[in-house]
Amino acid sequence: MSAPTVELMDYADVVTRYEPVLGMEVHVELSTATKMFCGCPTTFGAEPNTQVCPVCLGLPGSLPVVNQQAVESAIRIGLALNCSITEWGRFARKNYFYPDQPKNYQISQYDEPIATNGYLDVPLDDGSTFRVEIERAHMEEDTGKSVHVGGATGRIHGASHSLLDYNRAGVPLIEIVTKPITGAGDRAPEVARAYVTALRDLLKALNVSDVRMEHGSLRCDANVSLMPVGASEFGTRTETKNVNSLKSVEVAVRFEMRRQAAVLSTGGVVVQETRHFHEADGSTSPGRRKETAEDYRYFPEPDLEPVAPDAAWVEQLRGTIPEYPWLRRARIQDEWGVSDEVMRDLVNAGALDLIIATVDAGAPATQARSWWVAYLTEKANERGVELADLPITPAQVAEVIGLVEAKTVNNKVAKQVVDLVLAGEGDPAKIVEDKGLGMVSDEGALQAEVDKALAANPDIADKIRAGKVQAAGKIVGDVMKATRGQADAARVRELVLAACS
């Protein structure tokens, strides 16, 4: 359901009259095996309320214990964002009542976050970069999930009743908050999208989250305000909550800029509030008045020890930070000699990292690209899954390519081998051995099959002898059929032409 129609200013007029100020808050669910303060699993999609315990349900007498892996992931995120890592910091209780948080407070970090004062140089569409400064990255626990039933929008308004699933309550969460983003001008919506895109790619490269926006493991809140060009005081901001796709981040920012400009141009006042984003038409609508820090009545969490990362450990973790994904892509594109369009297609198809891993496993880049973007993409489409979700590893694909390169199998049989790997039959070399799929390399056996095919097709043999070498294709096909596709077609052709010379 879309929001009611509102007045909007033409975008060109907006950026002529106003300077946008952005603030991006990105919540990232960490891919730890267990929750932030208890041992409950974090598997996505489990039956409701099956991954809960007294700690994450906030039952009396239960005590939290910090997940060390979550702390490590938080430090690595902070280092990748060029932040300073705290030497000593406490958790705090953020007090508020919503039924999806059973304790009536959320364990978070307030005045002593794990990482502060960083930046990320974000690549834009034209190849330039825009520096986004990071205010903080702090650890907290996620809330449960409310499911509103009976309404038309999936929200509480108009619903007949609500259901609560606490599986997500307590899942480790990192909130990354930018400093006010100024100076983007008419490119502000693009900068917002590019920032979240770069952050998603970086978090995936760090292997700290699956960053699947459709699963809610990466959620973006976009703060937008406007101030007249030449002014120095920021305008009143709105916060568009839980924008769930990269494109929608750009659309939501652009809409809010146009809406706020229309309000201000008629003498109106922008209300500080949260807003809902509507995918159907790219609009936003009012949510609730925005709380301030005072409303949450923060105080130190008495049940948890402070977090005090050892300096040597932090430096050790610094050495695990990978090359920025966009710099890595540029380097690999140069090494492979492919165009911007080809590289963009590989990224959009989710194939790039798989291809790189296949090359790292020993396969030539050209063959690795060919397998992933052709046959394996076809298989992923047939199954209705992402490439990365196919039950075949880059190492296994490299092994198949190696079997072809060694002439152990030909390309046709290699596809059969891949199909058997996808069916769970095992590793490629073992499949070839167990199924007897190795290439027929016995020259005597091949020659016998060639002679048999020529004898069965004397008219074709006469054409070949008369110089019509394209007719050899029929004989090659018969030999390949007789050998169950396991012969080297090029070698068979050589034998046919030699026999007819």
Side-chain angles (χ1 to χ4, degrees):
M1 180 178 180
S2 62
T5 302
V6 297
E7 292 295 323
L8 300 175
M9 182 181 285
D10 183 77
Y11 190 72
D13 291 337
V14 175
V15 296
T16 299
R17 299 175 60 177
Y18 298 99
E19 174 68 28
V21 179
L22 307 180
M24 310 301 293
E25 301 174 14
V26 175
H27 295 79
V28 184
E29 282 189 351
L30 300 179
S31 52
T32 54
T34 57
K35 293 185 180 181
M36 187 71 204
F37 302 114
C38 67
C40 291
T42 59
T43 308
F44 179 82
E47 287 296 312
N49 298 310
T50 57
Q51 299 181 164
V52 295
C53 73
V55 174
C56 53
L57 289 177
L59 299 184
S62 60
L63 292 173
V65 177
V66 175
N67 185 325
Q68 182 176 346
Q69 183 61 49
V71 175
E72 178 177 309
S73 295
I75 293 172
R76 294 181 69 235
I77 291 170
L79 292 171
L81 294 173
N82 302 291
C83 289
S84 298
I85 305 302
T86 187
E87 295 180 0
W88 189 92
R90 294 175 297 181
F91 282 97
R93 289 190 181 182
K94 181 181 181 181
N95 295 275
Y96 62 94
F97 173 75
Y98 280 104
D100 57 9
Q101 185 56 274
K103 294 192 295 287
N104 293 343
Y105 63 85
Q106 179 187 35
I107 301 178
S108 182
Q109 289 184 305
Y110 175 47
D111 54 348
E112 299 172 90
I114 189 74
T116 55
N117 294 321
Y119 65 89
L120 188 63
D121 289 327
V122 175
L124 302 181
D125 294 342
D126 63 359
S128 63
T129 60
F130 188 97
R131 175 163 291 189
V132 174
E133 295 188 341
I134 306 298
E135 176 71 33
R136 58 191 281 146
H138 65 261
M139 298 181 287
E140 59 188 23
E141 57 181 338
D142 210 344
T143 61
K145 183 176 181 181
S146 299
V147 181
H148 305 299
V149 181
T153 65
R155 296 194 171 99
I156 193 169
H157 180 72
S160 60
H161 62 285
S162 298
L163 302 174
L164 292 165
D165 178 8
Y166 290 123
N167 282 350
R168 196 176 69 183
V171 169
L173 202 65
I174 302 297
E175 182 175 356
I176 302 167
V177 182
T178 69
K179 294 181 179 180
I181 302 171
T182 59
D186 63 341
R187 302 186 74 177
E190 177 195 351
V191 167
R193 170 182 51 80
Y195 166 70
V196 179
T197 301
L199 190 57
R200 180 201 62 173
D201 291 349
L202 178 57
L203 293 165
K204 188 173 183 180
L206 287 167
N207 197 30
V208 295
S209 173
D210 64 13
V211 293
R212 298 185 67 164
M213 298 184 82
E214 71 275 16
H215 287 177
S217 53
L218 187 147
R219 308 193 290 274
C220 176
D221 300 338
N223 292 269
V224 180
S225 68
L226 298 178
M227 58 182 180
V229 170
S232 59
E233 185 176 346
F234 293 165
T236 301
R237 64 185 173 89
T238 62
E239 181 181 10
T240 304
K241 300 286 287 183
N242 295 333
V243 186
N244 61 5
S245 77
L246 299 172
K247 180 63 177 176
S248 293
V249 171
E250 181 174 1
V251 172
V253 168
R254 182 182 292 268
F255 181 90
E256 267 303 285
M257 288 173 61
R258 296 181 64 197
R259 185 191 69 82
Q260 292 183 24
V263 171
L264 295 172
S265 67
T266 58
V269 175
V270 173
V271 176
Q272 182 173 338
E273 62 186 357
T274 63
R275 295 186 66 86
H276 299 302
F277 179 71
H278 301 273
E279 292 279 355
D281 61 4
S283 67
T284 69
S285 63
R288 56 180 168 81
R289 293 297 175 96
K290 180 63 177 170
E291 295 94 341
T292 64
E294 289 75 16
D295 295 323
Y296 291 125
R297 306 185 313 282
Y298 285 99
F299 66 85
E301 168 57 68
D303 292 333
L304 288 171
E305 291 285 336
V307 175
D310 179 73
W313 183 40
V314 172
E315 288 309 306
Q316 178 186 347
L317 293 178
R318 193 186 301 276
T320 70
I321 306 304
E323 182 180 16
Y324 286 129
W326 46 94
L327 299 180
R328 177 176 178 242
R329 285 195 292 267
R331 174 177 57 78
I332 289 170
Q333 181 178 349
D334 183 63
E335 290 175 359
W336 290 355
V338 298
S339 67
D340 291 345
E341 183 179 8
V342 169
M343 180 58 71
R344 186 167 54 249
D345 289 345
L346 294 178
V347 172
N348 291 340
L352 181 60
D353 287 341
L354 296 167
I355 295 168
I356 292 171
T358 304
V359 172
D360 289 344
T366 302
Q367 286 91 321
R369 290 201 307 273
S370 177
W371 274 98
W372 282 108
V373 302
Y375 193 69
L376 288 166
T377 293
E378 177 186 326
K379 292 301 173 182
N381 290 338
E382 288 176 2
R383 293 172 176 233
V385 300
E386 300 293 329
L387 265 179
D389 294 331
L390 282 174
I392 189 169
T393 66
Q396 289 172 322
V397 176
E399 188 176 341
V400 171
I401 293 171
L403 292 171
V404 175
E405 293 279 300
K407 296 188 180 298
T408 302
V409 298
N410 58 31
N411 280 314
K412 181 177 180 180
V413 174
K415 291 179 179 179
Q416 297 177 37
V417 173
V418 167
D419 289 344
L420 292 169
V421 174
L422 293 173
E425 295 283 337
D427 288 328
K430 188 173 189 306
I431 288 172
V432 170
E433 181 180 354
D434 292 348
K435 305 289 185 182
L437 297 176
M439 190 178 293
V440 176
S441 56
D442 185 327
E443 287 279 318
L446 285 180
Q447 187 65 62
E449 292 296 341
V450 167
D451 293 342
K452 187 186 301 183
L454 288 170
N457 297 276
D459 53 331
I460 301 295
D462 289 341
K463 290 180 181 180
I464 298 170
R465 293 187 184 100
K468 296 181 179 180
V469 295
Q470 65 270 24
K474 171 66 168 67
I475 305 301
V476 172
D478 287 351
V479 174
M480 294 301 294
K481 184 177 180 180
T483 59
R484 297 186 302 163
Q486 293 174 232
D488 181 344
R491 181 56 182 154
V492 171
R493 180 179 175 80
E494 291 174 357
L495 293 174
V496 169
L497 296 178
C500 295
S501 60

